[in-house]
Amino acid sequence: DGVTMKASGEIEATSLDISGDIDVDGTTNLDAVDIDGAVDMASTLALGGDLTISNSIPLIFMNDTSGNKNNQIIFQAGGSNIFRIGTDITTNDGTQILQITDGDGNNSRITVNSSGNVGIGENNPDEVLHIKNANAAIKYESTAGSGYTWNTGNIVTNGNFTFSSNTTNSVLTLANDGKVGIGTDDPKSMLHLS
């Protein structure tokens, strides 16, 4: 306690307990710290540069010691949270789901549950792919030629499932009452051709 150690070369130690700052070059900046072995930190590690991890199989372990199984990596820009990647961010219930959320961690963007089901806009996906949105749709867009696109899903607000292209508003519609429309997104009979 209260000991200042100065060295002009390498220091070898099997155990080094530091409760203050490490000063490498006489300033507050750490230009080079080379550690072979484990680093156990009970506080925050703040880096002003890049973090490079090199190993045959590089691993990062995160352990939520509270038992909630809530580990997060928060991405920021200008001090504001942009989005988060972690486990149980919105649920915080130990269900061990992987999530990408908004910056506040309130709205799930992508969820992968323990069964491997993927939810887009859905915290509890019950199918291999579960999309939840006011107008849940999938867009297929070609980068070749004219950039042709196809959309599938509920792309109109009447609850019907529609296939459409970038040249035709509605190619095929499966209405929520069982009617089929070709060329219309609102079929009026069992088969409605427009």
Side-chain angles (χ1 to χ4, degrees), residues 68-167:
N68 290 331
K69 301 174 185 161
N70 186 326
N71 298 296
Q72 299 181 33
I73 298 172
I74 302 173
F75 294 82
Q76 294 184 327
S80 297
N81 296 344
I82 305 302
F83 66 92
R84 300 170 183 234
I85 298 175
T87 55
D88 294 348
I89 298 172
T90 60
T91 58
N92 200 24
D93 61 4
T95 54
Q96 300 181 41
I97 58 173
L98 176 66
Q99 290 185 304
I100 298 175
T101 70
D102 62 2
D104 296 329
N106 296 324
N107 299 301
S108 177
R109 302 296 185 231
I110 299 174
T111 299
V112 181
N113 68 16
S114 59
S115 299
N117 294 347
V118 176
I120 299 175
E122 171 58 44
N123 289 341
N124 299 303
D126 53 11
E127 298 293 340
V128 173
L129 178 61
H130 186 153
I131 300 173
K132 184 176 182 179
N133 189 286
N135 287 313
I138 299 173
K139 182 175 186 175
Y140 307 88
E141 184 171 358
S142 171
T143 58
S146 64
Y148 207 75
T149 62
W150 280 90
N151 295 307
T152 60
N154 181 19
I155 55 176
V156 290
T157 57
N158 59 12
N160 296 342
F161 188 84
T162 302
F163 294 87
S164 64
S165 71
N166 60 345
T167 59

